[in-house]
Every structure is written in C-alpha cells, then in structure tokens.
Amino acid sequence: MRPEILFPLFAEIDSLPGIGPRLKPLLARLISGEHVVDLLWHLPSGLIDRRFSPPLTETIDGSIVTLDVWIERHDASPNRRRPYRVVCKTQSGPLILAFFNARAKYLNEVLPVGEKRIVSGKIDHYRGEYQITHPDRIGTEAEREEIQTVEPVYPMSAGVTGKTLTKSTRAALSMMPELPEWHDPALQARHKWPDLKSALHQVHNPENEGDLSPDHPARKRLAYDELLANQLALALIRAKMRKLGGIETKGDGRLRKALEAELPFAMTGAQQRALKDIYEDMGSNGRMLRLLQGDVGSGKTVVALMAMLNAIETGRQAALMAPTEILARQHFETIYPLLEKIGVSCAILTGRDKGKSRKTALEGFANGTFQVAVGTHALFQEDVLFQDLAFAVVDEQHRFGVHQRLMLAGKGQAVDVLVMTATPIPRTLTLTAFGDMEVSRLDEKPPGRKPVDTRVLPADKVDDVISGIGRAIRTGTKIYWVCPLVEDSEVLDLQAAEERYRILVDLFGESRVGLVHGKMKAKDKDAVMERFAHGDLSILVATTVIEVGVNVPDATIMVIEHAERFGLAQLHQLRGRIGRGDAASTCLLLYGAPLGEISKARLKIMRETEDGFVIAEEDLRLRGAGEVLGTRQSGLQAYRLASLEMHSDLLAIARDDARLIVELDPDLQKPRGEALRLLLYLFERDEAVRYFRSG
Ligand code: ADP
Ligand code: MG
C-alpha cells in the first residue's frame, strides 16, 4: 500500500484547478502520467526572463522586455492584414503595441488612453519604430510584481498551453509534502544536493540558464533520486530472489558429454567462459538470474542447451521461452533432434497449440514425461504446471520488460533463469535496464565466419541492384529483401513491402519470390519461411519480421531499403541473418537521399564493423540514450529526470549505493530504509516493495 503521506501526489491531475475532462488526456500524454506527481517530473526546458526594462535604444531585437508605457491613442486597423496599433510613450521614446485580429473593446479596456500600464513581451523593430506584437502580459502598476518575473518554459504539445502547465505545476508543488531524507548524508553533502522539496522548487523556478543545466545540483539530485529508485528496485528483487533461493543444481555431466559428442564443433572460449559462470550460478544455493549477451550467430543456443542439460541431469525440467511463435518453433526444430539423439524428451507449447497437442504438452509437463519445454509466453500461463521446473531460459531479444522478466523468475519453485539477448546493449544501458544482474558476454564468434561485405547505396541505384540479383539467383543464391518502416505505421509498411513484392514477382515470377509481414497469420508466415529455407523461393521480401526469425545459412544477400530509418541495432540484427554459411555474403544498404550527417555517420559504422558492441556504443554516442532506448526498438524504459548521457557518473554511484543498502538493510527496516521505501513509491517502483513484503 502506498504510504498516506504520498496520497496528494498521486491524486489524479483533473483534481487540480483548471484541469477538466477535456484537458486531462492531453496533459496526461504530455507529462507521461495522470498523477500530480507527473507534473513535478515534467521539468522546464527553458525560461522567460521578464526582469529587464532597458531603455528602448538598448534593446536587442527579439528579446523579452518589460516596460512602463503611457497610452496615447488607438489606431484601429484599416484592413485584416494590418494590425491594430496602440501608440504609447515610454521614458525612452515611442512604442507601438500591435495586435492582429484585435477586439477593440477589449483593448480599450486593458489599455485605456491616458493611463499608465506595465507591458511585457518580445520587442522588435518595424519600419523604424519600436514595437511589441501581442504583448504576453499587460497590467497595472499594482500588478508589476506578478509581471516582472522569471517564468519557466515547459516542453509543450498541442492543446496544452504554457499557462496551464505553469499553473498546474505551481499547484502540484504546493502539494509536495515534507519527506524524510533518504540519501546518504555524506553523498548529499559532497554534491551539495538540496532536499527533495527545495530541489523541486528550484528546478521549477529557474532564475537563469545555469539553473536549467543538467549539472545544476537540484537537477542532479532529482536525477539521482530516479536512478537510485530504479537501481534499488532491481537490487531488492534480485536479493530477494537469491534468498528465495534454493536448490543446488549440479548435474553429473553425462548428458552434456553426450551432446558434445554429437556436435560437429568445439565450444569457443567465450562459450566455455559463459558456461562456467552459468554452472557456478546453478550450483550455488541462491537463485540464478544471469544475462547472456551475444550477437546473432555467436552461439547462444548451444550454451542454453548445455545449461538446460545440467538441470535435466539432476532429474528436473528445463524450459526455453521465445518472444515469437516463429522463434519458438525454430528453437524447437534446432534442439529437438539433438535432444532426441541423447534421449531427452521435449515438447513445444505456443498460443497456437490447441486441443489435443496442447493437452498432450500440458500433461507431459505436469507429470514429467517431457523434460524440456519450448514455447512462447504461453508456457508461463496459469494452467501450465511443471512437475519440477529447475531452469528457464528466456530468449528475449528485447521483447519482454524488465519487470515482467523478474516476476517470471519469481514464479514457481526455485527456478534459475538465464536471459538471452542478441541486442548488444552498451554497458551504460545494460546497467540501467538490468541493474547489477550478472552478465556473460559471448564476444567471440564461432570460427569460420566470413565477413559480410556491406555497401551503402542511394535508393536510385535500385535498378542496378535488381539486375545484380537476377544474376545471383540464377546461380542458386538466396536473398532477403527488407522493406522499411514507414512512419510507425504498419499499414504503410505493408504497402511498401507489397509494392516491392509485386515488382519482383513481375520480374522473377511467383514461384521465385515470397512475402512475409507482421500482419500474416503465423501459419502462413511459417509456410513462406519454410519455402524460402528449404523450397523453391529465391527471394524473401519482408518487413522487419525476419529480425528475430529464421536461420537460412545459404541466404547470402540482404537488401535493406531505406536503411537510414532503422536503428543500428536493428540493422545489425538483420544483417546477422546472412553470413551464416560458407559462402561470401553481401549486404546492400539503400538509403533515401538526401542523407543527414548523423545518418551518414551511422551507415558508415555499419560498413566498417560487424562488432555489435562497437555498433551499439557508436549508436549511443550519435543518437543519445533516449533514441537508442526508444521503446519501439528496445522495449527498455527511458528515464524522466535522469539523462544517461549527462548523468552517467551518477548511475554507477546509484548501483553501488543500492547494493550497499540491500546488504545492510535488506528489508528496508532501518530509518534510512523507511525513507527509501517512500522513494520507491514516489517513482512507482512499488513492485519491489510488494515483492519483498510478500515473502
Ligand atoms: P545465436 O543464438 O547466438 O544467434 P546460434 O546459437 O543460433 O547463435 O548459433 C549460430 C550457428 O553457429 C549455429 O548454426 C550453431 O550450430 C553454430 N555454432 C554455435 N557454436 C559454435 C561453435 N563453437 N563452433 C562452430 N559453430 C558453432
Ligand atoms: Mg539464436
């Protein structure tokens, strides 16, 4: 339960004055939340300083000034295109206030002839006259103090005015309670961080540009609050899982030896190192949660398989969960024959399995007939019971959220979890997404891989590409043709892919060209993939569905249209689909001209390296964490107060801080612990609190 002291901050935003049912959804979208607290996290990006009243001759065009004016006369506009003019006198000369589409009655009320008023707005020159067009503020001498201020400027969106934001944020600030300090006093003193309430007041009332800097102590404090909340939540869940712990899994090695004898290759050094880590985790009496990071083709599957066999050797069960139907089937097809050879039983269960096959699988998992389960998230639905599940591999490729993953790990009996990801996340981002989850990296490719020859071409070379492809398919080459994302619209994606498909069919015939896209039924998709992998198709036109898809070793050419629209990680994963066999491979990146500097640099990286980790770091450098973490591509959550570029130093501190907190006060019972609970609730990381309360 959320502590009472925080209730006002978690009131709905429409409880604030001026926010009604019409404004609520617009504002909620802008501030990424529906609660008062979300207003507090929506920080100003600029300021308007109305404190200056320079003589007119010293003003700079376009700057904001606040002036005392004496109104001399009103000149109504002669036509719609000319403004209504209010001619004024100031201490340093004449000034025109200009209004388009003016309402004379109103203007006469607020700017009566013969009176003095205070006006504030952007000053400009027009035909030798000083002029303010549509002053932002007009008031009497008595209102001077309200006018001559510094105003924060918030990131805005359609339908929400700056005034509304400023007003509701003021209201939100007034609801901020006094909270006990949760930060380590020494750390706080060293960084000169204000307390939370003062920090919020400072960031929402910037006095100068320096106050807006991410380096400002108030901003840094808030960033650290957010980072610590996240790291602490992850650390708590992890510590809890370890403690839940339980079973030491140490197989006798008999099945693993049998498998190794079946494999046509020896493990790479990286695979051996990863397995050593994994066996150690499994063999301890804590609960395992490890991330196995490795490029496409780095050999994660075999590592997962060996680890599963370790569990099965002890008489228990193992499961392998994939994010999509296709991937689950592919895993099944890869491991089933291998397991069969060494006498291990295995069944698949996905959302598509209904009726008898579903029943057989469920029964087999429950009574232990099936030692290995492969499937999609269907595997972890409530009606799926295992006789004795010891080990789960989650091949996530970024499709599952952090918390989902952690909850999954908490499910069932003492299940050790290995998460596999093919997206090489930069180190800094690994930390934010996974906390200090242990990581094994497969940073060494299996031997014998041929480098992929990557070329970058403008889109108008597409006809040359097509004629090259015509020659290639006559020699039996298989080709992926990837069509781009069009403005986040699946419908348009599809149109682009269908158009390309028709062009290629006209040239090469229906029997040669296939099409797969995200809207197809899984069954139809699989059928096309199958024809490409083992049948007559030479060209597979696809939207990005092949990203996590098939393994077709004799596909050696990949064409990617509008490559500039893809994330580098995505391009890298796509390219990983080729270069898997013995023959040399080529990747053609077609771009739509003109290409910006950053896009150019990004495609250049693709040409220069195939190292996923290097690509990921460069992408981060070029585009920033917000982009790299963009949900569409990564599924990772972005921060609201912290910036991973600007506050990366704080991230490491937060990790160590969280680790120490959990070590000294694992149930957050001490005074600082009590305060830290508030922090977790404040940043809505209460899953973590509930998690350790429940057990
Ligand atoms: P990932 O899952 O990391 O994308 P896979 O596990 O699918 O990679 O492995 C890609 C290919 O490399 C598979 O055909 C696999 O059999 C092969 N492979 C894996 N490990 C090795 C190794 N040590 N030596 C040679 N080939 C390997
Ligand atoms: Mg794989």
Side-chain angles (χ1 to χ4, degrees):
M1 280 289 283
R2 180 180 291 140
E4 235 175 284
I5 190 169
L6 296 180
F7 282 3
L9 295 181
F10 284 89
E12 304 273 316
I13 42 178
D14 54 355
S15 66
L16 295 172
I19 314 285
R22 190 190 62 80
L23 205 51
K24 183 181 179 186
L26 297 174
L27 182 58
R29 190 158 349 117
L30 175 63
I31 64 177
S32 329
E34 305 200 317
H35 299 127
V36 170
V37 73
D38 298 305
L39 277 165
L40 299 179
W41 301 157
H42 190 69
L43 303 188
S45 52
L47 55 81
I48 296 177
D49 194 340
R50 301 195 187 281
R51 287 174 301 185
F52 299 109
S53 307
L56 287 177
T57 50
E58 286 173 27
T59 55
I60 300 165
D61 277 2
S63 65
I64 299 283
V65 294
T66 300
L67 300 170
D68 296 7
V69 303
W70 286 264
I71 296 117
E72 300 200 308
R73 66 171 199 279
H74 285 228
D75 289 348
S77 43
N79 63 47
R80 284 194 138 269
R81 271 176 304 154
R82 294 269 302 281
Y84 184 109
R85 290 154 49 95
V86 179
V87 182
C88 308
K89 205 170 65 181
T90 73
Q91 276 157 337
S92 52
L95 174 74
I96 307 298
L97 304 178
F99 299 87
F100 290 89
N101 302 317
R103 285 188 296 134
K105 182 165 174 285
Y106 167 76
L107 290 176
N108 275 296
E109 270 165 33
V110 296
L111 295 165
V113 173
E115 304 260 323
K116 177 188 171 191
R117 286 291 181 269
I118 316 294
V119 299
S120 182
K122 193 185 280 178
I123 188 136
D124 266 309
H125 256 92
Y126 185 74
R127 295 194 176 160
E129 293 175 316
Y130 290 103
Q131 174 168 312
I132 296 180
T133 309
H134 296 275
D136 305 321
R137 294 297 155 83
I138 301 171
T140 60
E141 180 62 44
E143 292 163 319
R144 179 190 292 279
E145 257 188 49
E146 282 159 51
I147 296 174
Q148 206 152 21
T149 56
V150 185
E151 286 166 27
V153 175
Y154 292 96
M156 266 179 298
S157 64
V160 185
T161 65
K163 231 184 206 161
T164 306
L165 260 178
T166 307
K167 207 172 128 214
S168 41
T169 305
R170 294 261 163 275
L173 277 173
S174 71
M175 292 159 83
M176 182 73 205
E178 293 284 349
L179 297 175
E181 185 54 67
W182 43 70
H183 289 313
D184 173 44
L187 182 74
Q188 192 177 6
R190 188 160 71 244
H191 290 274
K192 302 195 168 56
W193 286 337
D195 64 82
L196 176 64
K197 196 169 173 173
S198 316
L200 283 168
H201 273 274
Q202 285 176 35
V203 299
H204 285 288
N205 293 291
E207 297 252 312
N208 52 53
E209 292 292 327
D211 290 351
L212 298 166
S213 152
D215 280 335
H216 189 278
R219 290 235 171 188
K220 281 194 107 165
R221 164 175 183 135
L222 294 176
Y224 191 73
D225 284 330
E226 183 174 38
L227 291 170
L228 183 64
N230 193 52
Q231 291 297 311
L232 184 59
L234 291 167
L236 282 168
I237 293 171
R238 209 190 69 148
K240 174 70 177 181
M241 273 178 32
R242 304 199 133 186
K243 216 168 56 186
L244 278 179
I247 302 179
E248 293 177 16
T249 302
K250 285 181 189 151
D252 58 10
R254 120 194 92 84
L255 293 172
R256 283 172 283 170
K257 227 177 250 134
L259 177 69
E260 277 192 275
E262 292 292 337
L263 292 175
F265 51 75
M267 297 283 177
T268 63
Q271 284 170 320
Q272 286 171 12
R273 284 191 294 278
L275 279 170
K276 186 167 162 286
D277 295 342
I278 292 167
Y279 295 152
E280 233 163 69
D281 289 351
M282 294 175 80
S284 82
N285 58 12
R287 185 124 13 141
M288 159 174 170
L289 178 58
R290 181 175 285 276
L291 181 69
L292 180 63
Q293 256 189 325
D295 259 347
V296 171
S298 59
K300 294 185 293 296
T301 316
V302 197
V303 172
L305 198 53
M306 292 290 276
M308 293 200 287
L309 291 178
N310 182 31
I312 292 162
E313 282 164 2
T314 68
R316 303 178 68 207
Q317 291 166 299
L320 171 56
M321 181 166 95
T324 64
E325 179 90 32
I326 293 180
L327 250 194
R329 303 237 164 244
Q330 194 178 321
H331 275 313
F332 185 70
E333 275 155 32
T334 312
I335 70 177
Y336 184 85
L338 287 168
L339 290 175
E340 196 178 30
K341 278 192 197 140
I342 59 173
V344 173
S345 57
C346 175
I348 182 165
L349 180 74
T350 71
R352 240 209 288 159
D353 294 299
K354 303 256 154 65
K356 190 159 178 296
S357 72
R358 179 174 174 85
K359 195 159 163 262
T360 313
L362 288 181
E363 278 171 12
F365 298 150
N367 66 24
T369 320
F370 293 126
Q371 295 160 287
V372 171
V374 177
T376 54
H377 56 275
L379 272 184
F380 290 89
Q381 272 151 16
E382 270 169 31
D383 59 338
V384 182
L385 300 173
F386 289 91
Q387 188 204 30
D388 189 9
L389 184 66
F391 186 69
V393 180
V394 181
D395 187 359
E396 70 148 15
Q397 320 249 12
H398 266 173
R399 298 297 161 104
F400 302 105
V402 184
H403 294 291
Q404 246 175 310
R405 183 167 53 221
L406 292 167
M407 297 325 261
L408 163 81
K411 222 173 191 140
Q413 320 85 329
V415 183
D416 283 330
V417 174
L418 179 69
V419 179
M420 302 200 290
T421 174
T423 307
I425 310 164
R427 275 189 198 281
T428 44
L429 300 192
T430 314
L431 190 54
T432 91
F434 303 101
D436 58 349
M437 185 165 158
E438 275 94 353
V439 178
S440 298
R441 282 185 155 191
L442 294 183
D443 48 11
E444 176 184 348
K445 290 241 166 110
R449 288 280 155 77
K450 295 235 168 58
V452 176
D453 177 16
T454 300
R455 296 184 208 165
V456 179
L457 304 167
D460 57 19
K461 287 281 194 314
V462 71
D463 290 338
D464 299 348
V465 171
I466 289 177
S467 37
I469 278 175
R471 289 190 295 276
I473 59 178
R474 279 195 289 279
T475 66
T477 301
K478 288 183 183 171
I479 295 147
Y480 288 107
W481 190 297
V482 182
C483 290
L485 299 164
V486 185
E487 298 183 348
D488 280 336
S489 152
E490 265 186 65
V491 179
L492 294 181
D493 286 2
L494 189 53
Q495 278 173 9
E498 278 173 343
E499 198 178 313
R500 179 57 67 202
Y501 169 71
R502 274 193 297 274
I503 291 171
L504 293 172
V505 165
D506 282 348
L507 288 167
F508 304 117
E510 289 226 19
S511 60
R512 275 295 176 80
V513 189
L515 171 68
V516 287
H517 56 76
K519 289 249 154 139
M520 279 164 85
K521 288 213 186 82
K523 224 168 92 196
D524 302 337
K525 205 164 14 184
D526 291 2
V528 178
M529 295 272 197
E530 177 60 27
R531 275 175 66 203
F532 182 59
H534 304 117
D536 53 339
L537 293 183
S538 300
I539 305 178
L540 184 70
V541 180
T543 54
T544 45
V545 290
I546 58 160
E547 181 187 337
V548 289
V550 290
N551 189 15
V552 184
D554 50 351
T556 54
I557 297 181
M558 175 170 288
V559 181
I560 304 181
E561 287 193 69
H562 278 295
E564 79 280 4
R565 293 188 189 157
F566 291 90
L568 284 195
Q570 225 175 351
L571 285 178
H572 176 66
Q573 284 206 355
L574 285 168
R575 183 173 61 182
R577 299 283 134 212
I578 56 171
R580 299 191 140 203
D582 305 325
S585 299
T586 309
C587 179
L588 302 172
L589 302 176
L590 299 180
Y591 64 86
L595 207 52
E597 282 307 311
I598 292 186
S599 303
K600 219 178 267 172
R602 295 173 69 233
L603 294 183
K604 183 157 166 271
I605 295 164
M606 292 304 297
R607 213 176 54 215
E608 285 171 354
T609 179
E610 277 185 71
D611 184 326
F613 291 109
V614 172
I615 290 172
E617 298 289 351
E618 284 295 304
D619 203 18
L620 178 65
R621 194 175 61 75
L622 285 171
R623 291 196 304 159
E627 294 281 321
V628 175
L629 283 175
T631 43
R632 174 155 183 160
Q633 272 166 36
S634 71
L636 301 179
Q637 78 190 62
Y639 289 103
R640 306 174 67 175
L641 303 173
S643 143
L644 291 172
E645 298 93 88
M646 307 308 300
H647 301 129
S648 59
D649 54 329
L650 295 181
L651 185 59
I653 303 175
R655 187 225 12 225
D656 294 343
D657 202 356
R659 200 184 273 171
L660 197 66
I661 293 164
V662 173
E663 212 173 279
L664 298 176
D665 185 14
D667 295 317
L668 302 186
Q669 301 286 6
K670 298 180 182 165
R672 186 182 175 204
E674 291 282 344
L676 283 161
R677 285 174 187 230
L678 291 173
L679 173 70
L680 291 172
Y681 278 108
L682 196 59
F683 283 93
E684 296 173 77
R685 299 296 199 277
D686 20 329
E687 298 105 321
V689 184
R690 258 183 298 170
Y691 205 80
F692 66 68
R693 281 237 171 114
S694 66

